């Protein structure tokens, strides 16, 4: 089947949701939404110090776990499983670093597996990598302690593997970034999600840990699901499921560094914490109007924080790394959907007065992470995000 | 097929593991096992107070999530989903209360769902009940704060639902119970897992959150899996899977209080925290030689803490509540397997000098929880647990 004859993939139709509106409605109904609106929910300090806030945060690798599973099936290699620890850890770490210069962090992990498919040899790199990453981050100043975790055998509820983690920490109230402080005139400095940062061991495709359901079904060939039916929901629309052209071992010419599809789809989520930590030491917290980790909701996520009558205009977006163009092309995914599901090459946006843009870009550069001003904030009749891509204009509101 | 012609169910063969030996080997290999041996892993205090320890702990409802799912399918009622919040919360709370009189606790929750099967109406009672339980526990003195959580849509990895939670807390070093302090001469005071405690709204079967894979397959009829194939691993041995005689709405005469099978299998895990908190105020911590939450490994779990040359002898075990006899009978489960997988009616064992037994039993009674001395510790050539049941003697070592 030629790409043009395939259905256009939509995230919701694949059993995933970009924005979780339904969940926010539940929380709203039971009065459980926090009254403040920081990047992560804040609690009274656990040690009752009035100068501090505490927080506890959960996130995970989602369906990205299927990629190392397929890689192992095709190559026998289990090492990519270890990347899931980085995904789960960084999805927490970078969320909590959006709060500001956090002071102390601890992490516990939770794995749920189908032991008929996931054995100890596959679990071992995951658990090991939590500790390796913890040491490595600690050595560059991130105040993180790795604690233990729980691995549950749930063959009747889990097809293959769920890799989640939870992070607890404390932050001085004076260090908190209130992301509702965005004002007209702010610029947006965006940090690249691809490439190889100075503290990374491998080249990163930029994929992160969001949209993997869409990415897998757009790029991977149906034969994957035929050979390994445990990688697909039995109720999936089989017109849409795994409609792509690739095996995980393929190396399409569009990908940089001779990357395989498996390598690109399992590229571990980059942490920006070392860069943020340095930025927090160089720019006054009151001038950091919002630090946004572009995960669920991606380029629409800032709407959670944007004041009324402000418009975010991104007219100089990062050129999406090749993995995103491949997904878009083979999944025939509308660009509007792509920017709502994927980071598209910039997984961190910092909103601040223009005067600080150079400091942020210079700091990122010292870690070999490219950064640029991708847009600005302006007064507008209503709250919205306008993306001026080179192909079309997209509005989220 | 008559029960006597069915295969004897074994937990491992159903894709679950009672003792997680393989996982402990991974942790041992990577040097990640804590050097001390408290009930939960301890960390340096997050607030750097030298008088305190911190801890972060994960656990969840496991495959118990399938029971409210079936109940909803058969009756249309979603309320039993809320019980899963209690399961995930208490599996954490009662583990951390085995550390001693903890001072402050926060909880975050993580749900992974297949949104094709689990909609917002089913999620709502789960999320709501975390907050309801938090308020209720706080009102009886448990220092618990409920924070938010994460719900991930993972249709390709999750058949129905995973409900997990993570608890962070602090405890004074002087309040810590070192469970390696068990000595010959100690008695074991055991608290009942069934009945209705003064702080509970419904009668409890005693099932807890362990062994649900075995319980479901032993008791529930194959037609459940035929109607709802999403409740069983596609690789399950279909000779063993759902080999029982019951629908979730059946009310076998053996169950008390006219309980349905669905009610009995989804009975929310009882917390002993209010009882323990009072015991901790009445008995000096040095006289509490171990407080053991009988979860994974059940009656064999104490082996993790038992000193060499000590034997635990339980010669006066609690009479197993009817749900366990039903599971054993219909699954043809060896008694040795039953006591390794299930709490069998006593989910908390306190090891202490005999002089304190009455205080513990009296305290439990004020909360309408029955308690009794079920055994003792003696010197022995090697570390082991001996259960003298009314049918046979069982040894774990």
């Amino acid at each position: 089947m030629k790409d043009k004859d395939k259905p256009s993939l939509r995230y919701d139709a694949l059993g995933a949701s970009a924005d979780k509106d339904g969940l926010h409605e539940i929380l709203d109904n039971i009065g459980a939404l926090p009254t403040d609106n920081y990047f992560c929910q804040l609690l009274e300090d656990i040690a009752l110090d009035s100068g501090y806030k505490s927080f506890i945060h959960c996130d995970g690798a989602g369906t990205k776990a299927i990629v190392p599973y397929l890689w192992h099936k095709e190559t026998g290699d289990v090492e990519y499983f270890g990347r899931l620890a980085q995904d789960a850890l960084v999805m927490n770490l970078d969320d909590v670093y959006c709060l500001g210069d956090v002071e102390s962090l601890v992490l516990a992990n939770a794995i749920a597996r189908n032991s008929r498919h996931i054995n100890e040899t596959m679990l071992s790199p995951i658990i090991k990598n939590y500790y390796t990453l913890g040491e490595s981050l600690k050595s560059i100043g991130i105040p993180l302690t790795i604690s233990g975790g729980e691995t549950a055998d749930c063959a009747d509820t889990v097809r293959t593997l769920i890799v989640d983690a939870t992070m607890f920490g404390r932050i001085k109230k004076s260090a908190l970034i209130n992301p509702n402080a965005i004002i007209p005139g702010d610029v947006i400095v965006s940090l690249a999600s691809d490439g190889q940062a100075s503290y990374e061991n491998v080249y990163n495709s930029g994929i992160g840990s969001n949209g993997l359901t869409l990415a897998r079904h757009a790029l991977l060939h149906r034969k994957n699901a035929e050979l390994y039916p445990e990688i697909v929901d039995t109720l999936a629309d089989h017109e849409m499921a795994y409609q792509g052209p690739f095996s995980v071992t393929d190396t399409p010419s569009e990908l940089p560094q001779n990357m395989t599809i498996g390598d690109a789809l399992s590229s571990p989520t980059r942490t920006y914490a070392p860069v943020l930590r340095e930025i927090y030491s160089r720019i006054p917290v009151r001038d950091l109007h919002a630090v946004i980790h572009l995960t669920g909701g991606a380029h629409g996520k800032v709407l959670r924080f944007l004041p009324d009558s402000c418009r975010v205009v991104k007219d100089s977006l990062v050129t999406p790394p090749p993995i995103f163009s491949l997904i878009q092309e083979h999944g025939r995914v509308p660009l509007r959907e792509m920017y709502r599901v994927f980071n598209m090459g910039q997984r961190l946006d910092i909103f601040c007065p223009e005067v600080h843009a150079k400091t942020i870009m210079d700091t990122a550069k010292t870690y070999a992470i490219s950064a640029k001003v991708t847009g600005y904030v302006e007064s507008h009749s209503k709250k919205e995000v306008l993306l001026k891509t080179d192909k079309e204009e997209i509005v989220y509101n």
Side-chain angles (χ1 to χ4, degrees), chain A:
Chain A
M1 186 159 54
K2 294 250 173 60
D3 275 356
K4 70 177 178 53
D5 301 324
K6 291 177 182 172
S8 164
L9 290 191
R10 288 164 301 108
Y11 202 44
D12 288 357
L14 293 166
S17 155
D19 53 23
K20 303 186 180 170
D21 283 346
L23 289 169
H24 288 133
E25 202 176 310
I26 294 174
L27 291 170
D28 200 22
N29 284 342
I30 63 182
L33 283 179
T35 50
D36 55 24
N37 192 21
Y38 286 88
F39 199 83
C40 303
Q41 185 174 346
L42 295 173
L43 307 168
E44 288 312 298
D45 181 44
I46 192 108
L48 303 176
D49 186 325
S50 63
Y52 281 80
K53 287 283 190 178
S54 292
F55 49 84
I56 183 165
H57 196 71
C58 296
D59 215 324
T63 67
K64 198 170 178 178
I66 290 172
V67 185
Y69 181 73
L70 282 175
W71 184 259
H72 169 259
K73 285 290 184 189
E74 295 288 311
T75 69
D77 181 14
V78 298
E79 284 312 303
Y80 283 180
F81 280 104
R83 296 176 164 203
L84 299 171
Q86 180 165 340
D87 292 318
L89 187 156
V90 171
M91 287 295 282
N92 281 284
L93 184 66
D94 283 25
D95 273 0
V96 307
Y97 259 94
C98 289
L99 285 172
D101 196 12
V102 296
E103 198 151 298
S104 47
L105 301 167
V106 295
L107 184 109
N109 82 84
I111 294 172
R113 69 161 172 171
N114 186 319
S115 62
R116 293 195 180 91
H117 294 299
I118 304 294
N119 63 24
E120 271 75 9
T121 311
M122 303 173 202
L123 288 182
S124 186
I126 305 174
I127 297 174
K128 189 170 178 175
N129 204 29
Y130 279 115
Y131 292 94
T132 306
L133 281 164
E135 286 305 309
S136 153
L137 288 166
K138 204 160 202 168
S139 75
I140 53 173
I142 305 300
L144 173 64
T145 301
I146 305 296
S147 187
E150 164 76 3
T151 298
D153 289 342
C154 299
D156 288 334
T157 51
V158 175
R159 278 176 231 285
T160 48
L161 181 65
I162 293 283
V163 176
D164 279 347
T166 302
M167 193 170 271
F168 178 91
R170 299 172 78 219
I171 184 169
K172 279 205 182 85
K173 283 181 183 171
S174 58
L176 276 169
I177 294 167
N178 178 346
N180 308 289
I182 296 171
I183 50 169
D186 280 350
V187 297
I188 305 159
V189 189
S190 303
L191 273 61
S193 58
D194 67 327
Q196 184 170 352
S198 61
Y199 48 81
E200 291 173 336
N201 298 321
V202 291
Y203 191 91
N204 200 309
S205 72
I207 188 78
S209 297
N210 291 93
L212 266 291
T213 296
L214 188 47
R216 281 184 292 104
H217 290 294
L219 294 182
L220 297 178
H221 195 280
R222 191 149 305 168
K223 73 174 183 209
N224 289 286
E226 285 162 6
L227 282 170
Y228 316 110
E230 62 272 21
I231 65 165
V232 64
D233 186 5
T234 44
L235 281 195
D237 177 341
H238 287 276
E239 185 77 355
M240 289 197 177
Y242 294 100
Q243 57 152 256
F246 298 117
S247 152
V248 285
T249 51
D250 285 344
T251 51
S253 60
E254 293 90 338
L255 290 181
Q257 306 266 331
N258 255 325
M259 273 184 145
T260 60
I261 285 286
D263 185 9
L265 288 181
S266 70
S267 267
T269 309
R270 162 176 297 168
T271 178
Y272 298 105
V275 188
L276 284 175
R277 192 168 161 269
E278 188 166 333
I279 288 170
Y280 295 154
S281 75
R282 298 177 67 178
I283 300 177
V285 64
R286 66 176 179 280
D287 283 355
L288 293 163
H289 293 171
V291 178
I292 310 284
H293 185 200
L294 275 67
T295 56
H299 289 261
K301 187 162 192 171
V302 67
L303 288 166
R304 261 181 62 195
F305 308 103
L306 198 65
D308 291 337
S309 70
C310 276
R311 171 156 82 169
V312 167
V313 181
K314 290 185 179 171
D315 57 356
S316 183
L317 286 152
V318 166
T319 304
I323 186 68
F324 299 112
S325 317
L326 275 179
I327 294 165
Q328 185 191 4
E329 175 194 341
H330 292 289
R332 298 165 51 85
V333 185
L335 208 54
R336 180 183 166 75
E337 180 90 345
M338 290 297 296
Y339 276 94
R340 195 177 68 109
V341 172
F342 296 103
N343 69 70
M344 299 297 274
Q346 51 186 87
R347 225 185 72 245
L348 195 86
D349 284 351
I350 300 174
F351 291 71
C352 63
E354 191 171 10
V355 64
H356 296 302
K358 189 171 179 302
T359 305
I360 294 171
M361 292 187 288
D362 288 349
T363 306
K365 197 183 286 177
T366 65
Y367 291 96
I369 293 174
S370 65
K372 63 181 281 198
V373 174
T374 57
Y376 56 89
V377 180
E378 65 181 11
S379 295
H380 194 68
S381 53
K382 59 177 183 176
K383 178 158 79 167
E384 68 176 36
V385 175
L386 169 63
L387 306 184
K388 297 184 174 180
T389 76
D390 56 4
K391 295 192 186 70
E392 59 183 284
E393 296 203 346
I394 299 164
V395 174
Y396 302 117
N397 50 32

